[in-house]
């Protein structure tokens, strides 16, 4: 349970915001995720992106599904997510405990926990359940 008010949600893209990996083939953007970002915006909660992808390709997909205008300070680059998240939090002028990072990769989630960069994090339940069912 979160004890602080979430003011910023940082989304990973591949296998989190959308289904599939952009660089490996077709992806599907679940309408429900676009609706979540839209609802968060209406409630005054900012959404951003921290994803290892090609910026132009990811932006095109997000524009096509109508989600792009709802993301601020997007960090779409092949760089360390821990550093990118810390910079994003600073750029948004927020405290880390008001940030939620959503990613399907345990490695990325652990990197975000590095001291002085900590933010509450959750694995996307659907992605984990699908992977467990494939095993």
């Amino acid at each position: 349970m979160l004890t602080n008010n979430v003011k910023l949600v940082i989304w990973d893209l591949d296998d989190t915001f959308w289904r599939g990996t952009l660089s490996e083939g077709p992806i599907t953007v679940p309408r429900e995720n676009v609706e979540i970002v839209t609802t968060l915006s209406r409630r005054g909660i900012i959404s951003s992106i921290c994803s290892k992808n090609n910026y132009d390709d990811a932006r095109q997909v997000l524009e096509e599904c109508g989600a792009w205008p709802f993301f601020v300070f997007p960090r779409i680059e092949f760089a360390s997510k821990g550093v990118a998240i810390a910079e994003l939090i600073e750029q948004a002028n927020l405290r880390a405990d008001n940030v939620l990072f959503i990613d399907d990769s345990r490695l990325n989630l652990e990197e975000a926990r590095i001291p002085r960069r900590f933010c509450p994090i959750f694995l996307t339940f659907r992605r984990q359940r699908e992977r467990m069912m494939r095993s």
Side-chain angles (χ1 to χ4, degrees):
M1 173 190 272
L2 294 175
T3 57
N4 297 309
N5 292 330
V6 172
K7 297 178 181 179
L8 171 65
V9 177
I10 303 172
W11 296 82
D12 172 49
L13 295 176
D14 292 334
D15 287 322
T16 303
F17 187 76
W18 56 53
R19 293 183 183 113
T21 302
L22 187 59
S23 64
E24 295 176 2
I27 53 102
T28 304
V29 180
R31 189 74 204 144
E32 63 196 23
N33 288 352
V34 176
E35 291 170 5
I36 289 169
V37 171
T38 305
T39 300
L40 289 172
S41 178
R42 280 196 307 267
R43 293 180 180 177
I45 299 170
I46 302 166
S47 288
S48 190
I49 299 166
C50 186
S51 181
K52 293 179 181 178
N53 268 299
N54 175 280
Y55 181 91
D56 294 330
D57 294 343
R59 180 176 177 162
Q60 181 180 350
V61 170
L62 293 166
E63 285 177 344
E64 288 171 2
C65 73
W68 182 253
F70 298 100
F71 291 107
V72 298
F73 313 125
R75 299 299 298 261
I76 304 170
E77 58 194 357
F78 294 97
S80 165
K81 284 197 179 184
V83 171
I85 289 168
E87 291 172 356
L88 233 165
I89 292 169
E90 185 176 328
Q91 189 176 11
N93 202 26
L94 293 171
R95 294 185 345 226
D97 58 354
N98 294 119
V99 178
L100 174 65
F101 174 44
I102 305 172
D103 199 306
D104 66 312
S105 165
R106 285 197 185 279
L107 191 63
N108 292 331
L109 295 170
E110 289 303 319
E111 186 179 350
R113 290 181 196 225
I114 295 172
R116 297 180 316 182
R117 294 189 184 130
F118 176 78
C119 59
I121 55 177
F122 289 90
L123 291 168
T124 53
F125 177 72
R126 179 183 310 110
R127 294 290 154 234
Q128 290 304 101
R129 189 177 70 211
E130 285 177 7
R131 285 190 178 147
M132 288 173 22
M133 289 169 50
R134 281 188 230 140
S135 305

